[in-house]
Amino acid sequence: MRILVCGGAGYIGSHACAVLAERGHDLLVADNFINSSPRVLGRLRRITGRPVFFQQADLRVRADVDALFEGPHFDAVVHFAALKAVGDSCRRPLAYFENNISGTIHLLQAMQAAGAKRLVFSSSATVYGDPDSVPVREDAALRTTNPYGRTKLVMEQLIGDLCESDPSFRAANLRYFNPVGAHPSGLIGEDPGGVPDNLMPYVSQVAVGRRARLQVFGGDWPTVDGTGVRDYLHVMDLARAHADAIDYLVGEDRSLTVNLGTGRGVSVLELVQAFARASGCAIPYEIVARRAGDVAQVYADPSLAQRLLGWRAELDLDAMCRDAWRWQSTNPDGYGKAAVEQAAVEQAAVEQAAGETALHEWAALAAG
Ligand code: NAD
Ligand code: UFG
């Protein structure tokens, strides 16, 4: 199939590209690198052994989005492109609504105009806020606690309303729990700019010596050891779910909303211990006050995804830590944004030129 991957240069998107390419699909990646590096594209070419078609596009710009649909018809669109940091969204709510909502509207409008009828959407467990009980099922109450979460919920609603209005439009809403880990090659992985907000990248940077110690936010939660409990899932398992969701949209011709997690809760200290085992590095930590807005424990009931998609998480916490460590230890500065900013800018120009060539090739695919 021909698939448009919006936000395909990002953390989860790049891993999904690796899996989708492995399944033989032709991909067009669209991204504006607002939170990613053009270097991802070269790495993806090394992993897949195939050209990665790329077009620079900012989903906030309708003309950029329309241009994506000027070439061959897409059998499916996967929409990863969003701003995603909770704290940042509290400081800059308008930027989040502008980027995430207007980008999604433009994409849906362009899909509608082009007759592209299948969408896989990156939603989040954030739509459950602080759930009444765990494990969380898809029919749990939806109540968000921050601007980022509200954009995710509005995006789900926009997509749901479009499905209602156009009975031939199909969407897969995938509610991710806590994606971690990296591609087993160590060539792509998570590379947050600045101080990581999330646990696993922070722990990885402590292990590699970029940060002195982890601050554990709260040791007095009503959990197994007093630290927060989450449902961490390997990004390669998550990536596979996107390919399965596309197959479902094609084969079953129905929309769906599913949780993607392992169904297993893991505490902060359990993750720290697993990472220390996998890396052979000590992870110094201190317990500090709870983080504002945090909740004690959130983990998924993933049984609906298993029933509908035949998907279940296969990789365990040790594999998540091992692969995160391989990525971090072989790329201590990630894609090197800070150190080689100029090189990255130059690389972007090269990738843009390659993208333009790729687009001609992409158009040739349709013609022939
Ligand atoms: P990411 O920031 O690494 O990837 C997002 C990509 O989208 C980046 O490459 C970014 O440059 C691009 N992008 C953002 N706005 C854009 C725009 N206007 N135009 C073009 N490209 C744009 O994030 P990720 O962790 O890979 O997350 C992907 C998706 O999954 C997001 O929608 C996020 O909300 C969702 N999600 C992530 C997590 C998580 O923990 N990582 C959890 C649940 C849901
Ligand atoms: N934590 C620490 N120290 C840190 C970072 C995190 O102790 O430096 C703790 C948190 O308190 C929490 C756990 O580690 O108990 C996980 O925190 P993350 O920030 O990694 O993950 P969250 O579940 O809090 O949030 C993330 C995203 C949300 C998304 C949610 C579910 O940031 O946007 O996963 O997908 F909604």
Side-chain angles (χ1 to χ4, degrees):
M1 283 184 267
R2 294 188 185 124
I3 299 170
L4 173 63
V5 187
C6 296
Y11 169 47
I12 303 167
S14 57
H15 291 78
C17 284
V19 169
L20 291 167
E22 193 179 285
R23 290 218 189 162
H25 300 306
D26 290 318
L27 311 179
L28 177 62
V29 172
D31 208 297
N32 66 351
F33 301 124
I34 197 170
N35 195 39
S36 54
S37 164
R39 291 172 175 229
V40 169
L41 302 169
R43 301 283 180 97
L44 270 177
R45 274 196 285 271
R46 280 172 64 188
I47 289 171
T48 61
R50 304 171 49 182
V52 175
F53 301 104
F54 169 73
Q55 184 164 357
Q56 185 137 0
D58 184 335
L59 298 197
R60 289 171 300 186
V61 180
R62 177 68 200 266
D64 281 11
V65 183
D66 286 344
L68 297 170
F69 289 83
E70 279 166 11
H73 180 75
F74 294 113
D75 299 297
V77 175
V78 192
H79 180 23
F80 294 101
L83 297 174
K84 61 161 186 177
V86 172
D88 189 35
S89 80
C90 296
R91 289 185 291 276
R92 304 190 303 135
L94 297 181
Y96 274 66
F97 274 86
E98 184 198 19
N99 192 73
N100 296 358
I101 308 299
S102 83
T104 301
I105 291 174
H106 293 156
L107 182 62
L108 295 174
Q109 286 171 328
M111 286 180 70
Q112 209 170 29
K117 298 283 194 176
R118 297 186 194 102
L119 178 74
V120 177
F121 173 63
S122 299
S123 189
S124 167
T126 195
V127 297
Y128 300 119
D130 185 359
D132 292 327
S133 61
V134 285
V136 188
R137 285 172 21 153
E138 290 79 358
D139 56 6
L142 302 179
R143 46 171 175 236
T144 55
T145 56
N146 57 72
Y148 161 67
R150 282 185 273 283
T151 69
K152 282 280 133 176
L153 192 51
V154 170
M155 287 188 271
E156 277 201 10
Q157 289 164 340
L158 274 172
I159 293 163
D161 285 344
L162 179 57
C163 289
E164 285 285 317
S165 73
D166 176 353
S168 62
F169 193 90
R170 301 281 177 262
N173 259 323
L174 306 182
R175 293 180 179 156
Y176 314 157
F177 279 65
N178 293 65
V180 297
H183 191 272
S185 65
L187 286 169
I188 54 174
E190 186 169 15
D191 181 21
V195 181
D197 289 319
N198 299 117
L199 181 63
M200 181 70 108
Y202 204 106
V203 169
S204 307
Q205 292 192 8
V206 171
V208 85
R210 273 172 72 177
R211 309 205 177 268
R213 67 171 53 76
L214 172 72
Q215 295 196 319
V216 176
F217 299 137
D220 56 353
W221 293 102
T223 61
V224 56
D225 58 16
T227 65
V229 164
R230 296 291 185 274
D231 187 339
Y232 300 96
L233 84 156
H234 198 298
V235 67
M236 293 306 294
D237 277 332
L238 179 58
R240 182 166 45 83
H242 294 76
D244 295 343
I246 292 171
D247 290 347
Y248 179 91
L249 295 180
V250 172
E252 298 295 320
D253 199 19
R254 296 173 59 174
S255 295
L256 86 167
T257 295
V258 290
N259 289 338
L260 296 175
T262 62
R264 181 178 168 235
V266 169
S267 76
V268 173
L269 293 184
E270 284 168 344
L271 185 143
V272 165
Q273 282 152 13
F275 203 95
R277 267 198 316 275
S279 63
C281 299
I283 314 288
Y285 69 84
E286 60 184 333
I287 307 226
V288 300
R290 293 179 177 187
R291 179 171 67 176
D294 260 354
V295 301
Q297 51 181 352
V298 186
Y299 53 93
D301 176 341
S303 55
L304 189 61
Q306 170 142 31
R307 220 164 46 248
L308 297 181
L309 300 179
W311 176 92
R312 65 195 290 270
E314 288 169 0
L315 297 164
D316 63 11
L317 183 62
D318 290 336
M320 299 176 212
C321 294
R322 182 195 64 217
D323 291 334
W325 176 240
R326 186 180 297 110
W327 154 253
Q328 187 71 70
S329 56
T330 50
N331 301 270
D333 295 318
Y335 295 105
K337 271 195 281 264
V340 284
E341 204 167 308
Q342 184 54 34
V345 170
E346 285 162 16
Q347 177 79 3
V350 170
E351 295 293 353
Q352 176 70 26
E356 278 157 20
T357 312
L359 273 186
H360 290 124
E361 289 165 17
W362 178 260
L365 264 182

